[in-house]
Amino acid sequence: MMNRTGVYVHIPFCRKKCLYCDFPSQAGRDGHFEAYKDAVVYEIDHSAELPVSEIDTVFFGGGTPTVMPPIFLAEILEHIFQYAVAPGAEITVEANPGSVDRESLRVLRKAGFNRLSLGAQAWQDHLLRRMGRIHSADDIARAYEAAAAADFDNINLDLMFSLPGQSMEEWIETLRMAASLNPAHISAYSLTVEEGTVFGRLFGEGGLQRPDEDEDRLMYYAASDILGAYGLYHYEISNYALKGRECRHNIKYWKRAPYIGFGTDSHSFYDNTRWRNIHSLEKYLCIAEGSDIREEINRVTKKEAMEETMFLGLRLNEGVSEEGFRRAHGVGLFEIYGGVIQKMRNSGLMEQAEGRVFLTAKGRDVSNYVFIEFLI
Amino acid sequence: MAHDQRKIRNFCIIAHIDHGKSTLADRLIEKSGLLTQREMQEQVLDTMDLERERGITIKAQAVRLVYKTESDGEYILNLIDTPGHVDFNYEVSRSLAACEGAVLVVDAAQGVEAQTMANVYLALEHNLEIVPVINKIDLPSADPDETVREIEDMIGLPSRDAPRISAKADINIDAVFDRIISDIPAPAGNEDAPLTAMIFDSVYDSYKGVIVSVRIRDGVIRKGVNALFMATNKRFEVVEVGFFGPGTFVPCEELRAGDVGYMTASIKNVADTRIGDTLTEAGSPAVEPLPGYKAVNPMVYCGIFPADGAKYPDLRDALEKLKLNDAALSFEPENSTALGFGFRCGFLGLLHLEIIQERLEREYNLDLVTTAPSVIYRIHLTDGGAIELSNPTDMPDPARIDRIEEPIVTASVILPAEYIGPIMELCRQRRGEYLGMEYVERTRAVLKYELPLNEIIYDFFDTLKSRSRGYASFDYELKGYKESELTRLDILVNHEAVDALSFVVHSSSAYDRGRRIAEKLKKEIPRHLFEIPIQACIGSKIIARETVGALRKDVLAKCYGGDITRKKKLLEKQKEGKKRMRQIGGVEVPQAAFMSVLKLDDE
């Protein structure tokens, strides 16, 4: 039997680390590109899971995949293509507007990438500078045009709000500028200040003024309203898309479909087991037959599986279906969670209709509060 | 070895903190050959982990050393370690009363310090011969000559030929032994007189019952003696007598006048053996007990609750075990609407409270919530009755109260003259009544104040230390009760009174305290889906209010493949935190909130 599965390829390189970023990526490691490409290719070639899977989504994320020469990305993708890839598979690559041009995009498109995710973030240069981004607002429009010219018709723009020094007007401008390019998809993230980042340190020292929670929520509602007006409907906590253009790869994460990660720090969920690849680039580059690059291998228990169904599934605006829950867990949603759901409905945080339960707008604002209730 | 009082020396070691008291004790034990170095754990005398960490001695300990002199054979040296905190002043005084002399350790680099002075005064009060020793002469910054000058100038103790040693580097330790033998008087008891022995400590042992540490003044005690404890009037037949090896009890035939040792008599209750009590023989008792005995009663009370309600029986067991060794600890069951089942516990003072709390948490692995400490108030009712109140929750309706009295102490603060201003200000803030001031020498003074006990049980000691850079030392004694303008302050969370947060306060500081508690709680109580008012009130009058705003946002913006495991852990942690909170008026209040109101002064 062939498992439908997603493939994630992690490219842990950036030209420069953004000040808010706590993702596994490093700058100044350009000398390792080729060796890394070879190691990923090796890992893909020796995969135990891919030969028995049908791949229907591929996602190259980072870091910034496009800091690598596009021919390396093309070569990695080629090795994925040696396995069964479904016709019409969604094949995404993330890019920084400052690290692509018409030529490189053309190479990527020709290699088989059919979806591009551009890290636009904001349309004001002073905000981009403050975040430590390497590109300008003009670069976004240029990159977008180049992508369209290279025949990418499924483009996502990543945006961020609640940024230090960002006004509501600026956020609305960002939303309008982004939407007016007519992308198929927009991700709009509220800035999370993470410990261990430059922003984390500044924030701790009180040197970072950002919009308060009330303003943050107003910005969030503005995104939903404005993007909605452009036909980009709100389908996940931070994601908006034209109907039918939702990111199929990311939906796998929320619906607990299998995916296999390649490269350092990539995560996998397959055969009801989660694991992570090692962090160390040095060790990963030495990958060879029999080398152990998987860590934190955990079989998901029945209880955990139900919890995951809820706290991941409820991120989607469509929520969790009774039927899907029963199919996945062999037990009724209300048998397990009837009390909690009632409690959340009473608090106006959840709703129930047509065999599904889902968060209300208020519930989305405090989704962690709701999710905790679903931990058994 | 024939018993010869002339070959016995009973002494203690006194020092400012960190001047090397414990190191010297260790060295003396090691030198007398009682332990090989391998057997020595550093600081043998402080046996509790807690004591080692805090660097203070909580319970008195004793050890018998045998020292061989070249000219005069073997001497028996009984070293009695004393507790080192104002809460245990009485215990200290009894330990000192068991000695004839004290070795005063002064750090050659630091010179005479606040506690050096305080300890010297205490030793002099007990007529102890003081043997000064200059320690840490191996430090680069050591200035022994200056230290000698300070001791002579500030204390008036001749010390030109005081031994100059390093306990740590093992320099000149023999000189200390020589001085103990030559300078400290031998005991002068009468072996033929009726038995009188002073109890200076007791510990519970599950096999032997209470092991009572005694200093024999007169007479002899041996197995089979029908012993009478004069204050408690309890009789027990002596099962065993012995002396103190390092960390062990060594049984012997008998203890005679001048000896320091222990006795056991299958005593089940440590409360029967009060520190300071006199032990005599029931058949031919002493005419009168030794002077200085005082009944020790708890002065400070607080509620102790298990964080996990299911641990209530464990908490009870743990308290019962601690009580075996601690006659000053008292407890009785208490029930709080906010905190569930727990115990109302009585302590000698705040340090005693903290020590018990830490021992419960560490040795018995209990997670605790403690309520604000309270003293015992005397409430006179309008119907002529009176009650003693140690729990603010039990305060009667104000209409039934005629007047309230609170305990008052007389406090002496010994301090360098330059801190007089700040410390007088502190005492004034704490409703202190100035009694007088004496200069003990040019640069040092003793401030005398009358202070309400409830003003010093929170953080007086810490504040005193910080305002005097650690130089002021402090001692107090219960004086009596005094009528005062006291009132109960209640805290309402989401319109519901939280009994565990109520406390009694002087009306002059009620507003300030109420406001600060409300502010503190606002920081500690997490946001909920709704607004939470926090109010401080006296009766039905609200004197302070803060509001915890409603939760507007609690959301993970991103949750992709790599985030799932990590985010789940985050949610679980959040859930775990929630589980440990207390439900009050539909509000989840973290335990930290109950504790935070105890420390209002660190803003």
Side-chain angles (χ1 to χ4, degrees):
Chain A
M1 193 199 102
M2 299 288 263
N3 290 312
R4 292 207 143 208
T5 188
V7 168
Y8 176 80
V9 177
H10 189 66
I11 308 294
F13 305 114
C14 280
R15 195 173 304 158
K16 178 171 167 280
K17 188 111 179 151
C18 298
L19 302 184
Y20 54 87
C21 175
D22 75 330
F23 273 52
S25 78
Q26 308 174 44
R29 307 297 293 259
D30 300 18
H32 293 88
F33 289 164
E34 184 157 15
Y36 187 75
K37 176 262 296 173
D38 289 340
V40 173
V41 163
Y42 183 95
E43 196 192 353
I44 290 170
D45 287 351
H46 291 79
S47 166
E49 295 84 9
L50 291 187
V52 293
S53 305
E54 186 190 33
I55 300 161
D56 60 350
T57 68
V58 177
F59 198 106
F60 279 46
T64 311
T66 49
V67 298
M68 283 224 317
I71 47 163
F72 288 174
L73 301 175
E75 191 182 334
I76 295 170
L77 185 56
E78 206 173 293
H79 281 261
I80 294 170
F81 282 152
Q82 70 185 302
Y83 298 106
V85 176
E90 176 194 274
I91 302 172
T92 307
V93 60
E94 287 185 333
N96 185 303
S99 70
V100 286
D101 54 29
R102 191 169 293 205
E103 190 42 42
S104 60
L105 288 165
R106 195 163 287 150
V107 173
L108 292 171
R109 182 69 189 90
K110 254 184 89 183
F113 290 99
N114 55 26
R115 185 171 181 273
L116 184 72
S117 176
L118 277 174
Q121 318 307 0
W123 242 266
Q124 296 75 25
D125 286 342
H126 77 99
L127 291 177
L128 291 169
R129 271 196 303 276
R130 206 157 163 188
M131 298 162 78
R133 299 290 297 179
I134 59 166
H135 64 89
S136 66
D138 285 347
D139 289 337
I140 304 170
R142 251 196 307 275
Y144 195 93
E145 277 165 33
D151 202 22
F152 275 101
D153 67 349
N154 192 1
I155 301 176
N156 167 61
L157 293 170
D158 272 353
L159 304 178
M160 290 179 82
F161 63 94
S162 241
L163 297 168
Q166 184 183 40
S167 69
M168 184 59 121
E169 289 68 30
E170 286 168 331
W171 172 233
I172 290 171
E173 181 185 44
T174 295
L175 288 166
R176 288 192 191 287
M177 294 301 284
S180 61
L181 292 172
N182 296 318
H185 192 285
I186 282 182
S187 300
Y189 301 110
S190 170
L191 168 70
T192 308
V193 177
E194 301 280 4
E195 271 178 50
T197 64
V198 176
F199 270 21
R201 183 171 53 76
L202 289 174
F203 194 64
E205 290 165 358
L208 203 63
Q209 295 300 318
R210 52 183 301 208
D212 64 16
E213 285 187 6
D214 286 324
E215 181 111 15
D216 173 280
R217 286 299 92 184
L218 289 177
M219 288 179 165
Y220 183 70
Y221 305 146
S224 196
D225 292 345
I226 291 171
L227 299 178
Y230 283 85
L232 295 156
Y233 87 104
H234 197 171
Y235 75 95
E236 192 263 358
I237 286 178
S238 302
N239 285 289
Y240 306 81
L242 300 178
K243 276 270 184 245
R245 297 296 195 93
E246 304 85 0
C247 180
R248 280 154 48 199
H249 183 81
N250 286 343
I251 285 177
K252 285 183 186 292
Y253 298 136
W254 303 315
K255 292 197 166 174
R256 302 186 72 243
Y259 52 92
I260 298 169
F262 296 93
T264 57
D265 272 311
S266 62
H267 289 247
S268 304
F269 175 55
Y270 193 87
D271 197 12
N272 210 29
T273 304
R274 295 193 182 277
W275 70 85
R276 179 175 68 77
N277 275 4
I278 52 168
H279 172 73
S280 162
L281 182 61
E282 281 66 31
K283 273 193 203 151
Y284 185 78
L285 293 181
C286 299
I287 186 169
E289 210 178 322
S291 54
D292 196 6
I293 56 159
R294 293 180 175 180
E295 292 181 338
E296 296 175 15
I297 304 168
N298 283 309
R299 205 167 165 78
V300 179
T301 65
K302 275 188 165 177
K303 168 182 104 72
E304 289 171 328
M306 290 192 277
E307 293 171 348
E308 287 182 6
T309 294
M310 299 313 290
F311 83 76
L312 295 170
L314 287 173
R315 295 187 65 89
L316 292 163
N317 288 30
E318 65 174 36
V320 174
S321 78
E322 273 185 80
E323 193 201 326
F325 191 92
R326 187 177 291 280
R327 206 175 334 113
H329 306 293
V331 57
L333 171 64
F334 287 92
E335 278 172 59
I336 304 292
Y337 289 121
V340 179
I341 292 168
Q342 191 54 49
K343 185 174 156 195
M344 294 298 106
R345 289 180 65 188
N346 291 346
S347 308
L349 302 175
M350 277 176 76
E351 251 331 311
Q352 182 183 341
E354 293 161 18
R356 315 189 70 89
V357 294
F358 47 88
L359 295 179
T360 59
K362 189 176 163 197
R364 271 194 292 278
D365 289 342
V366 293
S367 51
N368 287 347
Y369 181 95
V370 178
F371 295 161
I372 287 165
E373 296 284 333
F374 284 92
L375 299 182
I376 300 167
Chain B
M1 193 187 325
H3 185 263
D4 180 353
Q5 280 192 69
R6 285 174 302 159
K7 292 286 186 74
I8 298 175
R9 298 293 180 272
N10 297 318
F11 71 104
C12 57
I13 305 177
I14 56 180
H16 185 78
I17 191 160
D18 287 339
H19 279 200
K21 168 172 147 173
S22 301
T23 317
L24 178 60
D26 288 350
R27 196 57 79 184
L28 294 176
I29 293 168
E30 184 198 318
K31 285 275 158 183
S32 65
L34 284 176
L35 292 175
T36 64
Q37 223 154 8
R38 196 173 48 80
E39 290 167 326
M40 288 274 300
Q41 212 182 345
E42 243 184 278
Q43 306 190 355
V44 174
L45 286 184
D46 293 348
T47 47
M48 279 192 256
D49 286 349
L50 203 57
E51 293 187 328
R52 246 174 238 159
E53 257 165 54
R54 290 196 169 211
I56 53 168
T57 308
I58 295 162
K59 287 194 71 77
Q61 312 263 338
V63 64
R64 176 166 118 146
L65 314 175
V66 179
Y67 183 71
K68 263 192 200 104
T69 60
E70 274 170 28
S71 52
D72 200 19
E74 287 184 346
Y75 275 80
I76 290 169
L77 311 178
N78 290 306
L79 165 57
I80 297 172
D81 200 9
T82 57
H85 191 274
V86 54
D87 280 4
F88 304 103
N89 257 350
Y90 174 67
E91 284 81 349
V92 177
S93 80
R94 292 308 86 200
S95 293
L96 294 180
C99 304
E100 274 81 29
V103 172
L104 169 69
V105 182
V106 184
D107 185 324
Q110 308 280 328
V112 171
E113 304 243 29
Q115 269 178 290
T116 316
M117 304 291 300
N119 284 316
V120 167
Y121 293 134
L122 214 56
L124 289 175
E125 263 177 50
H126 291 85
N127 298 317
L128 300 191
E129 182 65 34
I130 295 173
V131 176
V133 167
I134 318 293
N135 193 21
K136 302 197 191 180
I137 55 160
D138 57 322
L139 290 184
S141 55
D143 188 350
D145 292 332
E146 171 61 16
T147 306
V148 166
R149 201 190 56 74
E150 278 187 25
I151 298 175
E152 299 201 333
D153 283 5
M154 294 166 76
I155 308 176
L157 205 62
S159 34
R160 218 144 299 170
D161 52 354
R164 300 183 178 195
I165 68 161
S166 167
K168 198 167 179 189
D170 193 5
I171 300 169
N172 208 16
I173 304 301
D174 281 337
V176 182
F177 280 113
D178 293 341
R179 294 303 291 267
I180 289 170
I181 290 167
S182 65
D183 290 10
I184 294 175
N190 180 358
E191 284 188 19
D192 302 322
L195 172 66
T196 51
M198 191 201 61
I199 300 173
F200 64 90
D201 191 22
S202 58
V203 293
Y204 185 81
D205 179 279
S206 40
Y207 298 106
K208 298 181 174 180
V210 181
I211 299 175
V212 186
S213 304
V214 287
R215 160 69 199 270
I216 316 293
R217 286 283 166 202
D218 296 318
V220 181
I221 186 170
R222 60 172 69 88
K223 188 179 166 178
V225 161
N226 191 4
L228 168 69
F229 292 89
M230 295 180 81
T232 55
N233 201 27
K234 300 265 174 158
R235 285 154 201 252
F236 296 94
E237 190 184 306
V238 176
V239 172
E240 182 181 311
V241 298
F243 54 83
F244 303 104
T248 57
F249 296 99
V250 184
C252 65
E253 273 300 295
E254 57 186 24
L255 295 173
R256 306 174 77 100
D259 274 337
V260 169
Y262 70 89
M263 60 81 78
T264 68
S266 303
I267 303 166
K268 293 282 164 270
N269 191 347
V270 78
D272 291 336
T273 61
R274 302 271 177 83
I275 290 174
D277 193 4
T278 302
L279 180 74
T280 187
E281 197 173 338
S284 53
V287 182
E288 54 183 37
L290 295 163
Y293 171 75
K294 268 198 300 195
V296 182
N297 292 315
M299 300 242 262
V300 175
Y301 287 79
C302 79
I304 294 184
F305 296 84
D308 173 0
K311 291 279 172 76
Y312 174 78
D314 298 12
L315 175 59
R316 187 187 51 223
D317 289 352
L319 281 168
E320 273 165 6
K321 286 201 182 104
L322 289 179
K323 169 105 182 118
L324 285 176
N325 258 331
D326 189 342
L329 171 69
S330 74
F331 61 94
E332 57 182 49
E334 179 181 6
N335 185 6
S336 151
T337 23
L339 298 176
F341 289 101
F343 293 93
R344 192 82 191 158
C345 303
F347 308 93
L348 294 174
L350 209 58
L351 181 79
H352 188 207
L353 184 161
E354 276 175 26
I355 286 164
I356 295 294
Q357 190 186 330
E358 275 193 54
R359 293 189 65 185
L360 287 170
E361 284 177 344
R362 277 195 213 183
E363 294 168 29
Y364 298 91
N365 220 353
L366 292 163
D367 213 349
L368 304 174
V369 183
T370 318
T371 63
S374 167
V375 300
I376 303 175
Y377 298 98
R378 266 189 206 150
I379 303 193
H380 296 269
L381 302 172
T382 46
D383 63 8
I387 53 171
E388 298 219 320
L389 180 90
S390 66
N391 187 349
T393 318
D394 302 332
M395 180 102 114
D397 187 271
R400 289 180 52 215
I401 298 176
D402 176 44
R403 62 185 199 282
I404 305 177
E405 292 177 336
E406 65 176 332
I408 301 287
V409 300
T410 38
S412 328
V413 183
I414 306 178
L415 73 178
E418 66 255 47
Y419 299 112
I420 289 173
I423 300 306
M424 285 181 81
E425 174 59 20
L426 171 66
C427 291
R428 194 193 57 77
Q429 287 165 354
R430 303 300 173 98
R431 298 191 281 131
E433 205 168 290
Y434 177 77
L435 297 178
M437 177 168 63
E438 288 164 35
Y439 272 83
V440 280
E441 72 271 332
R442 263 181 306 116
T443 55
R444 231 160 253 273
V446 184
L447 270 177
K448 298 253 183 206
Y449 268 90
E450 209 176 88
L451 281 158
L453 183 61
N454 96 350
E455 294 287 345
I456 58 177
I457 57 171
Y458 284 92
D459 51 4
F460 184 80
F461 194 65
D462 291 342
T463 317
L464 183 80
K465 286 286 173 197
S466 70
R467 291 201 194 173
S468 67
R469 294 174 194 274
Y471 276 97
S473 72
F474 166 65
D475 184 8
Y476 67 83
E477 205 166 82
L478 188 66
K479 186 189 177 205
Y481 275 77
K482 201 172 184 178
E483 186 177 341
S484 185
E485 281 288 315
L486 296 163
T487 174
R488 187 177 83 185
L489 190 66
D490 294 319
I491 304 294
L492 271 54
V493 171
N494 205 22
H495 307 292
E496 199 161 300
V498 185
D499 57 358
L501 291 175
S502 292
F503 59 97
V504 176
V505 63
H506 191 259
S507 36
S508 66
S509 47
Y511 276 87
D512 185 49
R513 286 280 282 284
R515 181 182 53 77
R516 274 155 58 189
I517 287 181
E519 280 168 7
K520 197 95 180 210
L521 286 175
K522 182 183 172 175
K523 284 186 205 145
E524 294 288 344
I525 295 177
R527 300 227 228 171
H528 283 54
L529 294 174
F530 44 88
E531 270 192 2
I532 304 164
I534 298 167
Q535 296 155 307
C537 28
I538 295 171
S540 58
K541 188 172 151 212
I542 291 162
I543 61 167
R545 178 188 162 118
E546 293 284 339
T547 306
V548 179
L551 179 69
R552 298 283 293 117
K553 182 199 172 197
D554 183 9
V555 54
L556 305 169
K558 289 188 183 192
C559 191
Y560 296 115
D563 304 308
I564 293 169
T565 312
R566 195 161 55 110
K567 303 292 186 194
K568 188 168 160 196
K569 278 187 191 141
L570 217 75
L571 291 173
E572 267 162 5
K573 212 171 131 195
Q574 240 175 306
K575 186 193 174 184
E576 199 46 45
K578 250 175 114 155
K579 236 170 63 185
R580 292 161 57 95
M581 292 191 195
R582 303 287 177 160
Q583 279 280 348
I584 294 160
V587 174
E588 278 152 351
V589 181
Q591 289 168 34
F594 295 97
M595 310 297 270
S596 71
V597 302
L598 308 183
K599 292 188 180 123
L600 285 177
D601 269 15
D602 31 282
E603 62 236 72

